[in-house]
Structure formats: C-alpha cells, structure tokens
Amino acid sequence: MQRIVNYINYGMKHFLNIIMAILVFSTFMQVVFRFVLNNPLAWTEELARYSLVVLTFLGAAYAMSLKQHIGIEILVDRFPPAGKKVMQMIALLVCLLFYLLMIVQGFSLANSAMNQLSPVLRIPMGMLYLVIPISGLLLAVNHLSNFVEALKGGSEHDDTAV
C-alpha cells in the first residue's frame, strides 16, 4: 500500500512542477505583454489564477505526504504516551471528516458548475472545481499513510523512496 502512495506522490510532485512552470510562464507573459509591449493578453491572468488554485490544493496534499503541515503540539506534549496516541487518533478522525466534507461537497460543487464556462479560457468551471475533491482524497490517503507509518514506528518520510 505504501508503495502505491509513494508512486502517487511521485507523480503528483512532477505534476505540481508542471503547474508551477505554467504559472511562472503565464505570469511572465502577462508582465511582458502588459508593461513592455503595452498590449495585455487576457488569457494569461486567468491561466495564472487557475494554476495557483490547483497548485495550492494539490500542494497541500503533497505537503501532507512530506509531513510538512504545521501542528500545535504544546497540548499533546503534556500527555503521557498513551494520551498522545488518543490525541493523534482524535486529530486523525477530525481531519478525515474534513477531507470527506471536501470530497462530497467538492463533487457537488464541480457537478453544479459544469455548465458555467470561465470568462476567457472558456473551460467548464466544474473542471477547475474538481481539484477540491481530488485534493481531499489525496490529503486523506497521505494522512492515513503517515498515521499508519507512525503507528508502525516508521521513520521520517523519504521523498526519494520511489
């Protein structure tokens, strides 16, 4: 199971690199055409905005795979080891409920927006909104993977494991 999660994260890392390149390119083109050539391109601003949204949502899932999300441990550190495990379980369940909410409501939002087109690129907004349930699923998978690894007493995540 961990091997499959590692492959998903490896692919997601490269997809995020592509999205970042698109974001940089479209922003660069926007600056050049707007301020140097005095002839702004309409599509660059929209593409940059949508790239940033996708980068943010999927980047959160990738950060979860690297255990890079912040956590407040001041309260948890006051508990004995058994209490820490209970607190970790409670935190996991709360997070999984949030991810489930992202998945269910994200699909609902994406489905309801499939007929709405973006102003300039003319892509269905539902396609963009699909990033919400996809990132919710990836967040849940990575969070569960990290939790199982922690229960087994595993070491820190190694990004080169794939």
Side-chain angles (χ1 to χ4, degrees):
M1 180 67 178
Q2 185 62 40
R3 189 178 186 114
I4 294 170
V5 172
N6 287 342
Y7 280 119
I8 290 170
N9 289 324
Y10 182 77
M12 186 168 35
K13 177 175 80 170
H14 292 294
F15 181 70
L16 287 169
N17 287 332
I18 292 168
I19 295 297
M20 184 65 174
I22 291 170
L23 174 63
V24 169
F25 175 75
S26 64
T27 304
F28 177 76
M29 294 296 292
Q30 184 177 21
V31 169
V32 167
F33 275 81
R34 180 175 305 248
F35 296 111
V36 176
L37 301 177
N38 246 358
N39 188 16
L41 298 173
W43 60 269
T44 56
E45 190 269 333
E46 193 170 289
L47 181 61
R49 181 184 318 134
Y50 296 157
S51 296
L52 184 61
V53 169
V54 171
L55 192 67
T56 301
F57 275 94
L58 294 181
Y62 185 67
M64 180 65 72
S65 75
L66 300 176
K67 301 176 188 166
Q68 296 294 313
H69 281 273
I70 62 170
I72 302 173
E73 299 175 355
I74 191 167
L75 180 65
V76 176
D77 288 342
R78 295 177 188 251
F79 285 95
K84 287 181 183 180
K85 293 281 187 194
V86 170
M87 292 298 286
Q88 286 177 339
M89 287 293 288
I90 292 171
L92 174 72
L93 291 175
V94 169
C95 287
L96 288 177
L97 284 173
F98 178 73
Y99 304 147
L100 180 64
L101 183 68
M102 283 179 67
I103 294 167
V104 171
Q105 293 300 315
F107 272 124
S108 175
L109 176 65
N111 189 34
S112 68
M114 279 299 181
N115 293 328
Q116 178 187 355
L117 298 178
S118 67
V120 178
L121 295 176
R122 310 300 296 164
I123 59 172
M125 291 302 292
M127 296 299 288
L128 176 66
Y129 294 154
L130 277 175
V131 76
I132 298 170
I134 291 169
S135 67
L137 178 65
L138 292 171
L139 278 162
V141 167
N142 282 319
H143 200 146
L144 282 171
S145 173
N146 290 343
F147 185 75
V148 168
E149 186 179 324
L151 284 180
K152 290 180 180 178
S155 62
E156 288 296 313
H157 185 282
D158 181 15
D159 189 34
T160 61
V162 176

